[in-house]
Amino acid sequence: MLTAADFIPNPYTSTIENGNFEWSAPSNIALVKYWGKKDNQIPANPSVSFTLNNCKTITKLAFSKKEAQENFSFDLLFEGKPKEDFKPKIQKFLERVEVYLPFLKEYHFTIDTQNTFPHSSGIASSASGMAALAMNFMSLERKLNPEMTDEYFYRKASFLARLGSGSACRSVKGNVVVWGNQENIEGSTDLFGVEFPYTIHENFKNYQDTILLVDKGEKQVSSTIGHDLMHNHPYAERRFTQAHENLDKLIAIFESGNLDEFIKVVESEALTLHAMMMTSMPYFILMKPNTLQIINAIWKFRNETKIPVCFTLDAGANVHVLYPENVSEKVLQFIQDELVVFCQNSQYICDKIGSGAIAL
């Protein structure tokens, strides 16, 4: 069984003075939600997600050897302009991963990052951003250790991304990724995300995700605070058990292609996440009135048409509308006719299942 210590490298065999890499990494949407964590970004329960395709972060890492090696040295650009308020998060990330990437203080880095979706759209960019950064650092480590295997490269990238943002470990690979130790899923681990190892029915190939931007404001409660609220939560233990149960259900659902059962699990998970926030202390309601309008409209439409469209939510007000590719035309028409009116500035993003991080 791998442990974190397995990602501490032996002395490097090669050297490199300077260079640059560029990676894109996508966002992801959890079907079984990760909510609550232990020390060192270890999840309190396992999760499974669809890796997205269009919502992604593109990060370029330039590096050059420096003289003094006491401190981390980096410049951070967002869409080409200095972004000071992102720097503390990167500093904290470097501190967390230094033991696994001992070369970090030897270089000055310029991290130039941009998103394919609007930064203030209310779509979490921490998962895609940390995954893209981890891929770049691993590309540099591979130059220092050319014997590195592909398997180790991707596992360690996911492991590092997790230390920046938990769900980022699910953005390294596609299409369906499991993170967290689950008895019935071979190879699953709390340390990094793994590709779902079993059969996935044709119904779930190229699944669509249209993200309705209900509220593009800053998050009402940070993920870190939200996760912390699961400590001493009156329903936490039952919730963690439920996540394992739902992940087990999805193994059979992915194999059979049963969309009705898929919808039950996914919508129940979304509502449970919000129920946990409503019943924590302090408590939060992260949905907006328009979130509920959209959910009710989806239920009515599904009931009347029997089209297998469903919703999921992150820890916010935006709604992810999930549906198989073969009903795209009808669902998009429904979104335009009935749901866009509930989106801020009528904005929504069309996305679908994707394949993970890509070197550019």
Side-chain angles (χ1 to χ4, degrees):
M1 193 66 183
L2 277 175
T3 67
D6 291 309
F7 293 116
I8 298 173
N10 294 322
Y12 296 125
T13 53
S14 294
T15 57
I16 181 169
E17 288 299 310
N18 54 59
N20 57 73
F21 301 103
E22 189 170 18
W23 281 84
S24 80
S27 202
N28 68 76
I29 181 66
L31 306 171
V32 169
K33 307 293 181 184
Y34 138 66
W35 202 244
K37 60 185 172 189
K38 305 171 193 170
D39 289 344
N40 299 324
Q41 300 283 89
I42 296 295
N45 67 267
S47 56
V48 63
S49 58
F50 282 159
T51 308
L52 297 180
N53 187 67
N54 304 334
C55 289
K56 55 193 176 192
T57 299
I58 298 162
T59 300
K60 193 173 197 170
L61 181 77
F63 58 93
S64 54
K65 265 274 172 68
K66 63 189 177 75
E67 294 296 315
Q69 297 182 2
E70 292 82 59
N71 300 307
F72 299 115
S73 168
F74 65 96
D75 294 314
L76 187 66
L77 306 175
F78 180 69
E79 294 178 350
K81 298 186 181 74
K83 187 79 174 163
E84 291 303 311
D85 54 338
F86 279 12
K87 285 188 88 168
K89 192 161 190 180
I90 303 296
Q91 176 75 22
K92 190 174 179 181
F93 175 62
L94 297 177
E95 288 164 8
R96 272 186 186 164
V97 302
E98 185 189 11
V99 61
Y100 308 107
L101 299 173
F103 59 79
L104 287 174
K105 285 180 178 166
E106 295 172 22
Y107 294 93
H108 174 76
F109 297 104
T110 301
I111 302 162
D112 193 349
T113 189
Q114 57 175 315
N115 296 329
T116 59
F117 48 92
H119 170 58
S120 60
S121 63
I123 295 177
S125 56
S126 54
S128 52
M130 286 299 178
L133 187 56
M135 300 310 292
N136 278 300
F137 282 137
M138 283 310 296
S139 295
L140 174 49
E141 185 169 73
R142 193 177 230 170
K143 289 283 186 199
L144 301 171
N145 174 19
E147 288 79 53
M148 186 186 294
T149 65
D150 268 359
E151 182 183 57
Y152 180 87
F153 176 88
Y154 280 100
R155 280 180 171 179
K156 183 165 175 179
S158 177
F159 169 83
L160 296 172
R162 188 197 95 231
L163 294 172
S165 168
S167 55
C169 74
R170 298 190 310 241
S171 282
V172 167
K173 286 283 198 173
N175 308 19
V176 179
V177 176
V178 177
W179 169 40
N181 199 2
Q182 168 80 350
E183 201 178 326
N184 299 321
I185 296 184
E186 208 176 316
S188 63
T189 168
D190 291 340
L191 295 181
F192 48 84
V194 298
E195 288 173 275
F196 182 77
Y198 306 128
T199 306
I200 296 178
H201 192 278
E202 282 302 310
N203 284 351
F204 298 107
K205 301 283 163 80
N206 217 16
Y207 223 72
Q208 306 289 301
D209 178 7
T210 299
I211 306 157
L212 307 180
L213 303 178
V214 173
D215 180 43
K216 304 191 313 188
E218 280 300 303
K219 277 205 287 197
Q220 189 186 332
V221 54
S222 80
S223 298
T224 303
I225 291 168
H227 288 292
D228 285 347
L229 292 173
M230 292 299 281
H231 297 301
N232 307 318
H233 193 295
Y235 310 127
E237 287 312 313
R238 181 66 195 96
R239 162 59 200 152
F240 300 146
T241 304
Q242 180 198 34
H244 284 275
E245 292 164 356
N246 281 337
L247 195 42
D248 275 345
K249 284 179 189 169
L250 278 177
I251 297 171
I253 289 166
F254 280 140
E255 187 169 7
S256 68
N258 188 328
L259 293 170
D260 291 339
E261 290 302 310
F262 175 78
I263 287 168
K264 282 181 200 167
V265 170
V266 168
E267 291 190 342
S268 159
E269 275 286 320
L271 294 173
T272 300
L273 169 68
H274 284 256
M276 298 313 283
M277 291 299 285
M278 288 184 208
T279 49
S280 62
M281 190 60 70
Y283 38 80
F284 295 92
I285 297 180
L286 301 182
M287 295 188 211
K288 299 285 186 205
N290 282 356
T291 311
L292 294 173
Q293 296 275 18
I294 289 167
I295 289 171
N296 281 311
I298 289 171
W299 284 343
K300 182 168 180 272
F301 175 77
R302 187 168 73 222
N303 214 11
E304 289 170 357
T305 62
K306 304 296 177 246
I307 290 171
V309 56
C310 69
F311 71 88
T312 188
L313 307 163
D314 267 337
N318 296 334
V319 182
H320 289 251
V321 185
L322 301 175
Y323 49 99
E325 190 183 23
N326 64 358
V327 296
S328 289
E329 211 172 305
K330 287 174 180 160
V331 174
L332 284 169
Q333 193 61 54
F334 158 63
I335 288 170
Q336 282 158 6
D337 292 347
E338 295 186 42
L339 302 185
V340 164
V341 63
F342 301 118
C343 299
Q344 200 172 335
N345 306 329
S346 304
Q347 279 187 300
Y348 62 96
I349 296 172
C350 290
D351 213 331
K352 60 182 181 183
I353 284 193
S355 53
I358 299 164
L360 302 173

